[in-house]
Amino acid sequence: MFPFFVSLHFMKFLNKNMIVYKTPEEIEIMREAAQIVSRTLGKVAEAIEVGVTPLELDAIAENYIRSQNAIPGFLGLYDFPNTLCISINEQVVHGIPTNTPIKDGDIVSVDCGAIFEGYYGDHAYTFAVGNVKPEVLKLLEVTKECLDIGIAQTRAGNRIGDIGFYIQQHAENNGYGVVRELVGHGLGKTMHEEPQVPNYGRRGRGKKIQEGLTIAIEPMINLGTEKVKYLADNWTIVTADGKPSAHFEHDVAVVNGKPEVLSTFEFVEKALEKK
Ligand code: MG
Ligand code: MG
């Protein structure tokens, strides 16, 4: 979760504008929180197929998180009703799981959070289910590349703007729209801490990246326009032109000046290989 919403509505949840840098001990707890989410996404990957409902995936995720002595991180946060945000096709993020079965050709963003020993893990993967159009598969590929590009910029001495600049450049070079209204965020004892981590921006701008920074980087990239709107449920964000949107998210810590990815797609990839 939730990519941070750039609006006054959520400003009150920010930690007084201060970045909370983490000790090595805290980062180790956060790594476990992130890995619980990674394994949960692996369970979702095993189950996801044509005909499965988002609510079934949500139950799998909730049960698994609780089995790991962790707490679902999204459930009840800002009154969100479920464990997973499941956002299909033109839905960008914050989709509420429903009883509508997943169809052949859908892309399904699954965003998951867990709290372990008081710290949050928060990461997301967009699944291609069945026969997805090549142009949409390419969107997924490029969005994942954007995430890797953003991670590579997360090193001491760089600035937060460097992350967004290079993500935006890669996405726009491919003709895609970069969502402006939602951004990545600092992560720790709360889900949304400073700094905001936009997927767009200017090189050399923004706060300096320092040892102990922990952030969730989460490009949300649209096949068409960057513009988005809310659905009537006041949660789900959809693209304004109805074209698909992809979303990948990792938790990253700055350790010895370099980015260390606390979460992993390893469990998802293993599960998908077996299919
Ligand atoms: Mg998330
Ligand atoms: Mg997030």
Side-chain angles (χ1 to χ4, degrees), residues 94-147:
H94 299 176
I96 297 173
T98 67
N99 263 323
T100 306
I102 291 168
K103 300 185 304 296
D104 185 47
D106 281 347
I107 58 166
V108 183
S109 154
V110 179
D111 191 354
C112 181
I115 308 166
F116 178 72
E117 294 186 1
Y119 289 84
Y120 279 88
D122 173 23
H123 87 122
Y125 191 92
T126 301
F127 295 91
V129 180
N131 299 297
V132 173
K133 285 184 199 153
E135 61 165 5
V136 180
L137 287 176
K138 191 186 165 207
L139 171 72
L140 298 186
E141 207 49 52
V142 170
T143 305
K144 218 200 260 184
E145 288 164 7
C146 284
L147 175 56

Side-chain angles (χ1 to χ4, degrees), residues 5-271:
F5 216 109
V6 187
S7 78
L8 285 177
H9 176 62
F10 282 153
M11 287 307 269
K12 61 187 171 193
F13 297 104
L14 275 183
N15 220 326
K16 290 180 190 150
N17 250 3
M18 293 278 291
I19 296 179
V20 183
Y21 297 96
K22 311 302 187 299
T23 65
E25 292 74 23
E26 288 180 293
I27 289 172
E28 284 319 302
I29 300 171
M30 288 186 66
R31 188 194 310 280
E32 184 51 27
Q35 292 281 318
I36 289 168
V37 180
S38 301
R39 297 197 296 271
T40 306
L41 290 181
K43 298 287 172 198
V44 169
E46 286 170 16
I48 197 165
E49 61 185 3
V50 175
V52 167
T53 71
L55 274 171
E56 286 167 339
L57 299 177
D58 190 71
I60 289 168
E62 178 171 357
N63 290 336
Y64 183 75
I65 290 169
R66 293 195 192 282
S67 79
Q68 302 301 296
N69 296 320
I71 302 165
F74 298 172
L75 187 63
L77 185 64
Y78 313 131
D79 292 327
F80 189 77
N82 291 87
T83 293
L84 300 177
C85 293
I86 300 190
S87 311
I88 300 175
N89 298 333
E90 78 282 2
Q91 298 177 352
V92 180
V93 286
H94 299 176
I96 297 173
T98 67
N99 263 323
T100 306
I102 291 168
K103 300 185 304 296
D104 185 47
D106 281 347
I107 58 166
V108 183
S109 154
V110 179
D111 191 354
C112 181
I115 308 166
F116 178 72
E117 294 186 1
Y119 289 84
Y120 279 88
D122 173 23
H123 87 122
Y125 191 92
T126 301
F127 295 91
V129 180
N131 299 297
V132 173
K133 285 184 199 153
E135 61 165 5
V136 180
L137 287 176
K138 191 186 165 207
L139 171 72
L140 298 186
E141 207 49 52
V142 170
T143 305
K144 218 200 260 184
E145 288 164 7
C146 284
L147 175 56
D148 290 337
I149 286 167
I151 291 167
Q153 290 298 321
T154 312
R155 44 182 63 247
N158 279 6
R159 289 182 182 269
I160 292 295
D162 296 323
I163 297 172
F165 173 83
Y166 287 102
I167 289 175
Q168 179 180 12
Q169 185 181 60
H170 188 57
E172 291 181 353
N173 282 346
N174 282 277
Y176 300 145
V178 177
V179 175
R180 299 296 200 274
E181 287 86 346
L182 299 131
V183 297
H185 49 92
L187 185 72
K189 284 186 179 169
T190 52
M191 170 69 74
H192 294 130
E193 299 184 355
E194 281 286 306
Q196 294 185 26
V197 185
N199 298 300
Y200 54 92
R202 287 156 80 183
R203 225 173 343 185
R205 293 296 184 93
K207 296 200 172 112
K208 241 189 188 154
I209 294 171
Q210 294 179 36
E211 190 72 11
L213 179 75
T214 50
I215 55 174
I217 302 179
E218 46 183 320
M220 288 150 270
I221 308 295
N222 299 344
L223 189 63
T225 178
E226 70 208 38
K227 299 250 173 343
V228 298
K229 57 185 187 184
Y230 269 110
L231 286 191
D233 64 13
N234 271 329
W235 270 108
T236 317
I237 314 283
V238 297
T239 57
D241 59 7
K243 290 186 178 171
S245 180
H247 175 217
F248 291 87
E249 177 178 24
H250 268 316
D251 299 338
V252 183
V254 179
V255 177
N256 297 324
K258 297 197 196 86
E260 203 164 295
V261 185
L262 304 178
S263 46
T264 175
F265 292 143
E266 179 192 328
F267 301 103
V268 165
E269 282 158 4
K270 266 191 199 146

